[in-house]
Amino acid sequence: MIEASWGLIIFIIGVALVFDFTNGFHDSPNSISTVVSTKVLSPRNAVVFAAFFNFVAAFGFGVAVASTISKIIQLNVVETAAVPYIILCALIGAISWNLITWFFGLPTSSSHALIGGMTGAGLSAAGIAAIKWSTVGEVALFMVVSPLIGLTCGFLFMAAILNITKKANKLSAETHFKRLQLFSAAAYSFSHGTNDAQKTMGIIVPLLFSIGYFGAAADPNHLPVPLWVILIAHTAIALGTLSGGWRIVKTMGYKITKLRPVHGFAAETAGASTIIGASIVGIPVSTTHIICTSIMGVGTTMGTSTVKWGVARTIMWAWILTIPISALIGFAAFAMIRVVIGY
């Protein structure tokens, strides 16, 4: 295989930052849909608010998620020269799926799209041995578990709030929850940055390894994340958030269930708690899945009929298809590159 030049590496890092940017605009509704739909913030102020906390997350909770993502491809098994092309094809798979689901207004997982793209490209490059299946299995497990945690936390947190405030003046409580929702929205945006921006770091690190950035003695299973990589990843996701994603805002904020500030506060707090917990232990979860199910959990406290389960089913089908379709795109992209460069 043709050795990757610095020019190619810089190009692929640029594509990775484009993915990070699309992650930001695709997932920005997760952070802002509740504060927009409850009219706590205007859409313009909400995206600036979310982008700021996406960026400052660069300075919290380490890089455990980036470390997990960087280990999906077995760098000691795959030919070093193939690594940049695998990463490029993984990004093609993830960005393609992000754009398809954004067009249809479906809040799917950029994280799972990236993992699917990496799995498909790795399989195309070097077969089953190229993938660390224990990491993929862990992600697949939490693909199911984390939304259930979000659903449960949303329901329990909302039920607790209703019990605590049952004798409170409704108008006064609404005013207080509008203020509290600013804190919960900040916490959610911060948690989104702690998990999602790290996924881009986790694919840039193997790229740098493939051209000897860390030196000949570097252990591919314990690669550090340079500070400049951390900062550019968080900058890209923050800029993506600033661009907004209004198609998905409509689905998240209005179509799943009707929200008031108290509901937005409960959903965001439940979602942020779940995501920050996952980030601390290095699990790349879907922030989209978690906030969706947190909203559903909050909605069920008003009766299951208040949740539009038809919309929820459509979203869930998109979740199920994310990894397989992005993997297929990644696999096909690498197969095409193989033909072009004669690998």
Side-chain angles (χ1 to χ4, degrees):
M1 172 159 283
I2 301 170
E3 291 286 339
S5 65
W6 264 102
L8 178 61
I9 296 299
I10 291 170
F11 170 75
I12 298 173
I13 290 175
V15 176
L17 294 176
V18 169
F19 165 76
D20 207 14
F21 181 88
T22 66
N23 189 335
F25 83 69
H26 192 281
D27 288 4
S28 61
N30 302 349
S31 304
I32 64 176
S33 58
T34 53
V35 286
V36 171
S37 65
T38 57
K39 297 181 173 58
V40 170
L41 289 175
S42 69
R44 182 184 297 276
N45 289 338
V47 292
V48 173
F49 185 83
F52 172 77
F53 284 101
N54 269 189
F55 180 77
V56 298
F59 309 102
F61 297 107
V63 290
V65 173
S67 178
T68 299
I69 292 291
S70 69
K71 295 172 185 172
I72 290 175
I73 300 297
Q74 300 268 43
L75 296 177
N76 54 350
V77 172
V78 174
E79 184 181 338
T80 301
V83 172
Y85 299 99
I86 291 172
I87 299 299
L88 176 60
C89 294
L91 289 165
I92 290 170
I95 292 171
S96 299
W97 184 243
N98 269 2
L99 293 175
I100 290 166
T101 52
W102 169 81
F103 179 79
F104 289 104
L106 296 172
T108 55
S109 171
S110 300
S111 312
H112 293 158
L114 178 61
I115 290 162
M118 291 181 75
T119 303
L123 286 171
S124 186
I128 292 174
I131 308 301
K132 189 173 182 180
W133 292 104
S134 59
T135 300
V136 175
E138 180 181 62
V139 172
L141 173 64
F142 276 87
M143 183 177 177
V144 177
V145 172
S146 58
L148 292 177
I149 294 173
L151 181 74
T152 304
C153 288
F155 177 83
L156 293 176
F157 198 68
M158 187 65 213
I161 289 173
L162 290 173
N163 187 57
I164 292 167
T165 61
K166 59 186 177 183
K167 295 182 179 179
N169 177 273
K170 185 176 180 180
L171 188 59
S172 175
E174 191 88 348
T175 301
H176 286 302
F177 279 112
K178 280 189 175 183
R179 292 173 186 154
L180 285 170
Q181 203 184 351
L182 290 174
F183 291 99
S184 62
Y188 184 82
S189 296
F190 183 88
S191 72
H192 177 253
T194 65
N195 207 279
D196 276 23
Q198 289 195 47
K199 291 150 192 172
T200 300
M201 300 176 210
I203 56 174
I204 292 176
V205 166
L207 276 177
L208 298 176
F209 172 80
S210 73
I211 54 169
Y213 180 90
F214 300 107
D219 180 356
N221 293 313
H222 298 90
L223 296 173
V225 182
L227 178 61
W228 65 268
V229 173
I230 295 172
L231 293 177
I232 63 171
H234 279 276
T235 299
I237 202 168
L239 290 173
T241 299
L242 275 175
S243 73
W246 307 117
R247 289 173 183 266
I248 304 174
V249 167
K250 188 176 179 182
T251 300
M252 295 283 289
Y254 299 99
K255 289 188 178 179
I256 295 176
T257 190
K258 187 177 180 180
L259 297 174
R260 297 199 336 267
V262 62
H263 305 125
F265 171 72
E268 287 160 353
T269 304
S273 302
T274 305
I275 296 163
I276 288 173
S279 298
I280 291 171
V281 297
I283 299 170
V285 295
S286 169
T287 56
T288 306
H289 293 191
I290 290 169
I291 193 62
C292 277
T293 55
S294 294
I295 292 171
M296 291 175 197
V298 167
T300 50
T301 62
M302 299 179 281
T304 55
S305 61
T306 64
V307 177
K308 297 177 182 177
W309 296 106
V311 174
R313 269 194 302 273
T314 302
I315 293 170
M316 287 178 187
W317 270 111
W319 293 354
I320 292 167
L321 294 172
T322 294
I323 288 181
I325 292 180
S326 54
L328 280 173
I329 297 170
F331 188 97
F334 192 90
M336 290 177 66
I337 284 180
R338 185 195 297 274
V339 171
V340 170
I341 65 177
Y343 173 49

PDB file of all heavy atoms in Angstrom, residues 8 12 60 67 92 99 114 142 150 181 236 248 265 328 340:
ATOM      1  N   LEU A   8      -1.544  13.971   2.933  1.00  0.00           N
ATOM      2  CA  LEU A   8      -2.738  13.128   3.076  1.00  0.00           C
ATOM      3  C   LEU A   8      -3.222  13.122   4.525  1.00  0.00           C
ATOM      4  O   LEU A   8      -4.428  13.193   4.788  1.00  0.00           O
ATOM      5  CB  LEU A   8      -2.433  11.700   2.620  1.00  0.00           C
ATOM      6  CG  LEU A   8      -3.593  10.694   2.763  1.00  0.00           C
ATOM      7  CD1 LEU A   8      -4.790  11.124   1.921  1.00  0.00           C
ATOM      8  CD2 LEU A   8      -3.141   9.286   2.382  1.00  0.00           C
ATOM      9  N   ILE A  12      -6.853  14.224   5.895  1.00  0.00           N
ATOM     10  CA  ILE A  12      -7.757  13.348   6.654  1.00  0.00           C
ATOM     11  C   ILE A  12      -8.110  13.978   8.000  1.00  0.00           C
ATOM     12  O   ILE A  12      -9.256  13.869   8.465  1.00  0.00           O
ATOM     13  CB  ILE A  12      -7.137  11.947   6.841  1.00  0.00           C
ATOM     14  CG1 ILE A  12      -6.921  11.276   5.477  1.00  0.00           C
ATOM     15  CG2 ILE A  12      -8.061  11.064   7.689  1.00  0.00           C
ATOM     16  CD1 ILE A  12      -6.159   9.960   5.551  1.00  0.00           C
ATOM     17  N   GLY A  60     -12.296  19.309  31.007  1.00  0.00           N
ATOM     18  CA  GLY A  60     -12.868  18.488  32.070  1.00  0.00           C
ATOM     19  C   GLY A  60     -12.930  17.015  31.718  1.00  0.00           C
ATOM     20  O   GLY A  60     -13.107  16.633  30.563  1.00  0.00           O
ATOM     21  N   SER A  67      -9.410   7.477  24.173  1.00  0.00           N
ATOM     22  CA  SER A  67      -8.576   6.290  24.285  1.00  0.00           C
ATOM     23  C   SER A  67      -9.325   5.046  23.830  1.00  0.00           C
ATOM     24  O   SER A  67      -8.775   4.190  23.124  1.00  0.00           O
ATOM     25  CB  SER A  67      -8.107   6.128  25.733  1.00  0.00           C
ATOM     26  OG  SER A  67      -7.336   4.964  25.885  1.00  0.00           O
ATOM     27  N   ILE A  92     -15.950   8.770   5.926  1.00  0.00           N
ATOM     28  CA  ILE A  92     -16.905   8.837   4.810  1.00  0.00           C
ATOM     29  C   ILE A  92     -18.219   8.169   5.209  1.00  0.00           C
ATOM     30  O   ILE A  92     -19.306   8.705   4.971  1.00  0.00           O
ATOM     31  CB  ILE A  92     -16.310   8.176   3.548  1.00  0.00           C
ATOM     32  CG1 ILE A  92     -15.166   9.029   2.992  1.00  0.00           C
ATOM     33  CG2 ILE A  92     -17.392   7.965   2.480  1.00  0.00           C
ATOM     34  CD1 ILE A  92     -14.365   8.352   1.898  1.00  0.00           C
ATOM     35  N   LEU A  99     -25.405  13.057   7.349  1.00  0.00           N
ATOM     36  CA  LEU A  99     -26.099  13.935   6.407  1.00  0.00           C
ATOM     37  C   LEU A  99     -27.444  13.355   5.984  1.00  0.00           C
ATOM     38  O   LEU A  99     -28.431  14.079   5.842  1.00  0.00           O
ATOM     39  CB  LEU A  99     -25.213  14.204   5.184  1.00  0.00           C
ATOM     40  CG  LEU A  99     -23.944  15.032   5.469  1.00  0.00           C
ATOM     41  CD1 LEU A  99     -23.081  15.124   4.216  1.00  0.00           C
ATOM     42  CD2 LEU A  99     -24.295  16.421   5.986  1.00  0.00           C
ATOM     43  N   LEU A 114     -19.691   6.662  13.468  1.00  0.00           N
ATOM     44  CA  LEU A 114     -18.233   6.616  13.367  1.00  0.00           C
ATOM     45  C   LEU A 114     -17.710   5.215  13.671  1.00  0.00           C
ATOM     46  O   LEU A 114     -16.841   4.689  12.954  1.00  0.00           O
ATOM     47  CB  LEU A 114     -17.610   7.624  14.332  1.00  0.00           C
ATOM     48  CG  LEU A 114     -16.084   7.664  14.363  1.00  0.00           C
ATOM     49  CD1 LEU A 114     -15.531   8.042  12.993  1.00  0.00           C
ATOM     50  CD2 LEU A 114     -15.601   8.648  15.417  1.00  0.00           C
ATOM     51  N   PHE A 142     -23.777  -0.795  25.454  1.00  0.00           N
ATOM     52  CA  PHE A 142     -24.240   0.484  25.991  1.00  0.00           C
ATOM     53  C   PHE A 142     -25.148   1.221  25.006  1.00  0.00           C
ATOM     54  O   PHE A 142     -25.821   2.177  25.397  1.00  0.00           O
ATOM     55  CB  PHE A 142     -23.055   1.342  26.432  1.00  0.00           C
ATOM     56  CG  PHE A 142     -22.587   1.000  27.807  1.00  0.00           C
ATOM     57  CD1 PHE A 142     -21.650  -0.007  28.005  1.00  0.00           C
ATOM     58  CD2 PHE A 142     -23.125   1.626  28.911  1.00  0.00           C
ATOM     59  CE1 PHE A 142     -21.233  -0.355  29.283  1.00  0.00           C
ATOM     60  CE2 PHE A 142     -22.728   1.291  30.194  1.00  0.00           C
ATOM     61  CZ  PHE A 142     -21.777   0.290  30.386  1.00  0.00           C
ATOM     62  N   GLY A 150     -31.086   6.502  30.615  1.00  0.00           N
ATOM     63  CA  GLY A 150     -31.647   7.832  30.392  1.00  0.00           C
ATOM     64  C   GLY A 150     -33.158   7.856  30.605  1.00  0.00           C
ATOM     65  O   GLY A 150     -33.692   8.771  31.243  1.00  0.00           O
ATOM     66  N   GLN A 181     -33.382  25.677  34.364  1.00  0.00           N
ATOM     67  CA  GLN A 181     -33.135  25.010  33.088  1.00  0.00           C
ATOM     68  C   GLN A 181     -31.875  25.535  32.408  1.00  0.00           C
ATOM     69  O   GLN A 181     -31.249  24.836  31.622  1.00  0.00           O
ATOM     70  CB  GLN A 181     -34.349  25.131  32.157  1.00  0.00           C
ATOM     71  CG  GLN A 181     -34.339  24.017  31.117  1.00  0.00           C
ATOM     72  CD  GLN A 181     -35.449  24.123  30.114  1.00  0.00           C
ATOM     73  OE1 GLN A 181     -36.371  24.932  30.247  1.00  0.00           O
ATOM     74  NE2 GLN A 181     -35.375  23.309  29.071  1.00  0.00           N
ATOM     75  N   ALA A 236     -14.024  22.519  16.685  1.00  0.00           N
ATOM     76  CA  ALA A 236     -14.847  22.087  15.545  1.00  0.00           C
ATOM     77  C   ALA A 236     -16.270  21.745  15.974  1.00  0.00           C
ATOM     78  O   ALA A 236     -17.242  22.129  15.316  1.00  0.00           O
ATOM     79  CB  ALA A 236     -14.199  20.894  14.851  1.00  0.00           C
ATOM     80  N   ILE A 248     -33.825  18.902  13.256  1.00  0.00           N
ATOM     81  CA  ILE A 248     -33.864  17.946  14.362  1.00  0.00           C
ATOM     82  C   ILE A 248     -34.406  18.601  15.628  1.00  0.00           C
ATOM     83  O   ILE A 248     -35.023  17.949  16.463  1.00  0.00           O
ATOM     84  CB  ILE A 248     -32.479  17.323  14.582  1.00  0.00           C
ATOM     85  CG1 ILE A 248     -32.000  16.670  13.277  1.00  0.00           C
ATOM     86  CG2 ILE A 248     -32.509  16.273  15.681  1.00  0.00           C
ATOM     87  CD1 ILE A 248     -30.573  16.149  13.320  1.00  0.00           C
ATOM     88  N   PHE A 265     -35.856  20.751  32.347  1.00  0.00           N
ATOM     89  CA  PHE A 265     -34.863  20.660  33.422  1.00  0.00           C
ATOM     90  C   PHE A 265     -34.624  19.204  33.807  1.00  0.00           C
ATOM     91  O   PHE A 265     -33.478  18.757  33.944  1.00  0.00           O
ATOM     92  CB  PHE A 265     -35.349  21.458  34.641  1.00  0.00           C
ATOM     93  CG  PHE A 265     -34.519  21.263  35.871  1.00  0.00           C
ATOM     94  CD1 PHE A 265     -33.240  21.807  35.964  1.00  0.00           C
ATOM     95  CD2 PHE A 265     -35.000  20.519  36.950  1.00  0.00           C
ATOM     96  CE1 PHE A 265     -32.456  21.620  37.107  1.00  0.00           C
ATOM     97  CE2 PHE A 265     -34.234  20.332  38.091  1.00  0.00           C
ATOM     98  CZ  PHE A 265     -32.954  20.885  38.167  1.00  0.00           C
ATOM     99  N   LEU A 328     -21.404  -0.471   6.192  1.00  0.00           N
ATOM    100  CA  LEU A 328     -21.457  -0.812   4.767  1.00  0.00           C
ATOM    101  C   LEU A 328     -20.823   0.277   3.905  1.00  0.00           C
ATOM    102  O   LEU A 328     -20.078  -0.015   2.959  1.00  0.00           O
ATOM    103  CB  LEU A 328     -22.909  -1.036   4.324  1.00  0.00           C
ATOM    104  CG  LEU A 328     -23.530  -2.389   4.661  1.00  0.00           C
ATOM    105  CD1 LEU A 328     -25.015  -2.384   4.320  1.00  0.00           C
ATOM    106  CD2 LEU A 328     -22.817  -3.507   3.900  1.00  0.00           C
ATOM    107  N   VAL A 340      -8.426   1.772  -6.511  1.00  0.00           N
ATOM    108  CA  VAL A 340      -7.772   2.978  -7.054  1.00  0.00           C
ATOM    109  C   VAL A 340      -6.255   2.947  -6.840  1.00  0.00           C
ATOM    110  O   VAL A 340      -5.467   3.262  -7.731  1.00  0.00           O
ATOM    111  CB  VAL A 340      -8.363   4.253  -6.417  1.00  0.00           C
ATOM    112  CG1 VAL A 340      -7.548   5.485  -6.787  1.00  0.00           C
ATOM    113  CG2 VAL A 340      -9.815   4.417  -6.865  1.00  0.00           C
TER     114      VAL A 340
END
